[in-house]
Structure formats: C-alpha cells, structure tokens
Amino acid sequence: MSELSAPPTTRRGFLGALTVLLGGVITALAAVPVLGSLFSPLRSGPSTSATDAPIPVGNVSEFPVGTPRRVELIRSVTDAWSRSEATTIGAAWVTRNADGTFTAFSTVCPHLGCGVNLDKQRNLFACPCHTSAFTLDGKYKAGPAPRGMDPLEVEVRGKQVLVHYKRYKQGLPDREAV
Ligand code: FES
C-alpha cells in the first residue's frame, strides 16, 4: 500500500523541485544583464572625457574686438550612474584681441571664489565681495586677491570659439589646479 502511494508523492516532489530549479535558472539569467548594467559604470569609472573636452562658447563674430564677453560654460556631466544634459559648470570672460587671437579668464575670483564682473566704467575686472580688481589682461591690480585672474586656454576651430575649463584653488599666490 505504501509502495503504491509513494510514486505520486515522489513525482509531485520531483516536479516541485524541477519548478524551483527552473525558476532559479530563469531568475539568474534575467539578473545577469541587470547586474551588468548596474556595475558597468564602476568597471569603466567616472567619465572624464567630457570633463577634458573644450567647450564651445560661440562664433568668432559674436565677440567684439577688445571687449571681454562673459560666457557660460555648459556641458553634459556624467557620473557613475547618471548623465545630465546641458549643465553650467562655470563661466569665463572671453576677449577677442585686435590681432585675432582670443584670451579667456575664469570668472572665479582667486581670493575666495566670488564671481568677478566687468567694470566698464573703470575698464577693469572687479570682484564685488572684497573689492579685488584686475586689469583687462587678468593681472592683479588691487584688493585681497593673492594673484591675477586664472587664465583659460582658448581654441578657435573654423569659426567656433572653444574654452578649456579648469578650476584652481583659491587663496594661494601660486596657481594650483583643483
Ligand atoms: S572673493 Fe573676490 S575679493 Fe574676495
């Protein structure tokens, strides 16, 4: 009697075990791409290519000769799991020189980091926080700033002006990249 009732129980148990096993295999197969996508940013590390790329700031003709123009430095920022489009990462004062070359300075004051403005009346750059002043070629003129404005590399490709953005530590007499 017990031998007659044993096979159905065994078959049921076998089917149950098979179902659990198949469920586990399917779950594992489904998890592989999900886990891969979750951990791939860690394998590749943070994206630095976007950080180093020069940022387009406008057409050559948009820059009047001899008058600094403030431009926003906008780019997409990528970290391990997210990518945000069109983020303003800084700003620069860009000047088109009479000889056709360009110069650019970070708007960040080298004293404590306030935004440096163009004072057209005094023909200089001026920081509103502690009255530091700089000549239009970025040299230190007055106030507590320990150095001149921080220069940024400018590139012209065809008609496009591009700025290489860089941040420097504040409060130091010598320029030190962040
Ligand atoms: S932050 Fe510019 S003078 Fe202090």
Side-chain angles (χ1 to χ4, degrees), residues 3 71 105 112 167 170:
E3 282 185 21
V71 294
F105 297 100
L112 292 177
R167 295 184 70 91
Q170 292 132 26

Side-chain angles (χ1 to χ4, degrees), residues 50-67:
T51 309
D52 300 335
I55 300 168
V57 293
N59 198 290
V60 169
S61 61
E62 295 170 49
F63 293 86
V65 175
T67 305

Side-chain angles (χ1 to χ4, degrees), residues 70-160:
R70 189 181 187 281
V71 294
E72 301 276 308
L73 301 172
I74 300 167
R75 72 157 46 119
S76 61
V77 174
T78 305
D79 64 20
W81 280 276
S82 67
R83 177 182 173 85
S84 55
E85 298 295 332
T87 301
T88 301
I89 59 163
W93 285 107
V94 178
T95 306
R96 182 180 174 190
N97 303 309
D99 63 0
T101 61
F102 280 78
T103 51
F105 297 100
S106 170
T107 59
V108 178
C109 180
H111 178 222
L112 292 177
C114 289
V116 174
N117 297 323
L118 175 64
D119 186 334
K120 282 187 180 166
Q121 257 137 36
R122 293 194 293 158
N123 206 34
L124 46 75
F125 290 113
C127 180
C129 290
H130 314 99
T131 66
S132 283
F134 311 89
T135 57
L136 292 188
D137 58 0
K139 291 193 173 73
Y140 170 85
K141 187 172 172 63
R147 61 174 187 260
M149 291 170 74
D150 296 324
L152 300 172
E153 189 187 335
V154 191
E155 198 181 307
V156 179
R157 286 188 200 159
K159 302 248 178 248
Q160 189 77 59

